[in-house]
Amino acid sequence: MRSLLCAIFWMVLMVSSSHGKETIFITDDVFASELFSFRIEPRIFNWTYEGLSEQFQYRTSLEGYPDLPSWVRYMYSSEYHSGFLYGTPPLGNSDTKVPIEIIALNRLTYETKRMVLSLAVRRKKPAKNSVHMKIDNLNWVHMMDPGRIENLKNIFRNDLWPESRSDLHVVFMDSAVKLGARLPLRPQQREGVVVHLGSNADFSSRMLELHEEVKPLYKITTCTYKRTSVQTTFENSGFKLDWCAFRLTATEDDITALPHHPTDGHKHNGRADVHGQHAFKWDAPLKSELPDRNYSDEVAISFAIPGMIFALLICGLTIILCFQHEKLQDDDSEYYFNYVFYICTDFLRMQKTSKSEYSMAAANVQMVQYSPDDAQSTIKLKSIRDAPFDDNHSISPSDSFYREGSPHIGNMYMRPKPPPYKMTGSSKSPGTVQRNGGIEI
């Protein structure tokens, strides 16, 4: 419903403006098979831009018809606040005039004006050879700038295709998105534009070499990562090309201008496009025609460079750790390193001495017990060295104590000597044995 109301509004506006007095007539000469562009801006209608977003609106159509011819396109650019008419007239429209009606609306004052652009199509021989390319870093509106178009032409006139200096022209131009490309993921990125340049001159040897260089990429849809031998030539002028879309084409009557034209060994697999030209499919070359590449140098370099870096690091660390140590003075460290061998030998000698002393002490230990035979007998100290083992009379390490001045051998301690015994009583009566301290036995 909204679109219907808009259509009715524009029809009423066109009818009212056609009967009004504000009508501007402009004539523009264009050539068949060559791109033309016309910029519709407020100054044509004596208007000034006052900062309002989309202040001006334009409606274009063939005079007396609701739409434009099939070969004319109209697009509005909010970046330039202008509308653009562009297209390539076909040969069938040669020596004719095509009136284009433009209705302009000022949304600030709601003033309308009418203009009739008469396109006088001149006859021109179509280009025999053309170059197809896709520029990724620009939009269609940027190629409407005559200066940028001249920069692109100069690349071919001065460097790649000098033979086309006299008649090189733009054959076709349109947004890459309208021709089937995908919109960029980020809105800040450019959509890309497809441009065809044509000329009647034969392709130069430089162009044929570039064609052979990018020919294996034809099977890929897009390849922004690919770089060619002329990459810097285009980038210095502000153009970044998608080399998968780079093509050299020729008209049907001169297909031998291409370096891979049909011969006895290759059949013609072309199809005519909107310009009457053929786009050739790439034929895979034979395996014997493919160049060989030796990777031994790359492998040697890949190992040599890291090896050299590693050797330099080793040398640097050696110098730092060894030679810098000569300047350090540490008396304790020097004393330790000088006597570390003697410390080890002394320790081993002490270990051997301890083992020998332990074995000798174990053999000489004497343990005694008091054992009276009867009341009249004298005191005997009986050695229990050779006595049978008895758990009740066994000596526990806890019953021993460390005697100051005695050698400490492992966990072995020497038992102290018992106190001396004394006889009590008279010489005629039997006596009792008593230790020092008053304890009778």
Side-chain angles (χ1 to χ4, degrees), residues 223-367:
C223 50
T224 56
Y225 55 87
K226 177 63 179 176
R227 298 180 65 88
T228 61
S229 58
V230 296
Q231 185 78 22
T232 56
T233 304
F234 284 92
E235 289 184 354
N236 291 338
S237 298
F239 303 102
K240 292 185 178 180
L241 271 63
D242 183 357
W243 293 107
C244 288
F246 188 86
R247 300 285 191 279
L248 298 184
T249 60
T251 53
E252 187 175 2
D253 56 351
D254 190 28
I255 58 177
T256 58
L258 288 177
H260 208 61
H261 62 73
T263 58
D264 295 338
H266 298 84
K267 294 183 179 180
H268 175 58
N269 292 326
R271 58 180 180 84
D273 57 9
V274 293
H275 303 292
Q277 298 175 344
H278 287 273
F280 294 93
K281 295 182 180 179
W282 175 69
D283 293 333
L286 299 177
K287 185 177 180 180
S288 59
E289 298 176 356
L290 297 177
D292 296 333
R293 182 177 180 183
N294 188 6
Y295 291 93
S296 58
D297 296 339
E298 287 81 355
V299 173
I301 292 174
S302 63
F303 281 97
I305 294 177
M308 294 176 60
I309 296 174
F310 182 74
L312 291 176
L313 291 176
I314 293 296
C315 294
L317 291 176
T318 303
I319 293 173
I320 293 173
L321 297 178
C322 296
F323 292 94
Q324 188 178 3
H325 179 69
E326 299 294 333
K327 300 179 181 180
L328 297 178
Q329 295 295 333
D330 189 358
D331 297 335
D332 294 337
S333 299
E334 294 295 335
Y335 179 81
Y336 176 79
F337 283 111
N338 290 334
Y339 291 94
V340 64
F341 177 75
Y342 300 103
I343 293 173
C344 296
T345 55
D346 291 344
F347 177 77
L348 293 176
R349 190 181 299 109
M350 290 177 63
Q351 288 289 94
K352 292 180 180 180
T353 304
S354 300
K355 290 181 180 179
S356 60
E357 290 179 356
Y358 172 75
S359 59
M360 293 174 62
N364 296 328
V365 170
Q366 295 286 335
M367 289 176 288

Side-chain angles (χ1 to χ4, degrees), residues 26-296:
I26 298 178
T27 302
D28 189 14
D29 293 336
V30 298
F31 295 92
S33 302
E34 183 176 348
L35 180 73
F36 84 94
S37 62
F38 183 80
R39 182 172 180 173
I40 307 172
E41 49 189 352
R43 65 179 182 84
I44 299 178
F45 304 96
N46 295 325
W47 290 339
T48 57
Y49 179 69
E50 300 181 11
L52 180 65
S53 178
E54 296 184 0
Q55 180 180 348
F56 306 103
Q57 289 185 354
Y58 307 100
R59 178 67 180 261
T60 60
S61 63
L62 184 64
E63 188 178 20
Y65 293 87
D67 203 356
L68 290 170
S70 60
W71 51 272
V72 180
R73 292 178 180 270
Y74 169 76
M75 294 185 69
Y76 181 82
S77 172
S78 57
E79 181 179 354
Y80 291 89
H81 307 287
S82 302
F84 292 89
L85 282 170
Y86 62 96
T88 304
L91 291 175
N93 289 77
S94 300
D95 300 328
T96 61
K97 289 188 177 181
V98 181
I100 304 296
E101 185 180 37
I102 303 172
I103 305 298
L105 170 65
N106 189 343
R107 296 182 61 187
L108 189 62
T109 60
Y110 287 95
E111 181 183 2
T112 60
K113 290 186 179 182
R114 177 176 180 266
M115 183 181 70
V116 177
L117 174 64
S118 181
L119 300 177
V121 182
R122 306 299 181 186
R123 183 177 296 276
K124 184 178 181 179
K125 184 180 179 181
K128 185 172 62 174
N129 301 319
S130 63
V131 182
H132 299 180
M133 67 193 80
K134 178 175 175 286
I135 305 174
D136 290 328
N137 64 324
L138 297 176
N139 290 337
W140 62 270
V141 68
H142 301 137
M143 294 305 297
M144 295 298 176
D145 184 7
R148 187 172 277 111
I149 290 292
E150 288 300 318
N151 292 337
L152 182 62
K153 290 181 181 179
N154 290 334
I155 294 176
F156 292 91
R157 290 171 180 168
N158 302 329
D159 191 4
L160 300 179
W161 199 5
E163 294 82 359
S164 65
R165 183 183 297 272
S166 59
D167 63 341
L168 184 65
H169 57 275
V170 180
V171 176
F172 174 80
M173 191 277 297
D174 206 350
S175 173
V177 175
K178 285 194 173 183
L179 298 178
R182 297 179 61 182
L183 284 169
L185 297 178
R186 293 184 295 178
Q188 296 81 6
Q189 293 179 339
R190 305 296 172 82
E191 297 178 358
V193 58
V194 177
V195 182
H196 298 175
L197 297 180
S199 175
N200 290 312
D202 295 334
F203 289 118
S204 64
S205 59
R206 186 81 180 274
M207 290 288 288
L208 299 181
E209 292 175 0
L210 181 60
H211 178 80
E212 290 290 337
E213 183 179 354
V214 301
K215 189 168 58 176
L217 303 175
Y218 289 172
K219 56 186 177 181
I220 306 176
T221 305
T222 179
C223 50
T224 56
Y225 55 87
K226 177 63 179 176
R227 298 180 65 88
T228 61
S229 58
V230 296
Q231 185 78 22
T232 56
T233 304
F234 284 92
E235 289 184 354
N236 291 338
S237 298
F239 303 102
K240 292 185 178 180
L241 271 63
D242 183 357
W243 293 107
C244 288
F246 188 86
R247 300 285 191 279
L248 298 184
T249 60
T251 53
E252 187 175 2
D253 56 351
D254 190 28
I255 58 177
T256 58
L258 288 177
H260 208 61
H261 62 73
T263 58
D264 295 338
H266 298 84
K267 294 183 179 180
H268 175 58
N269 292 326
R271 58 180 180 84
D273 57 9
V274 293
H275 303 292
Q277 298 175 344
H278 287 273
F280 294 93
K281 295 182 180 179
W282 175 69
D283 293 333
L286 299 177
K287 185 177 180 180
S288 59
E289 298 176 356
L290 297 177
D292 296 333
R293 182 177 180 183
N294 188 6
Y295 291 93
S296 58

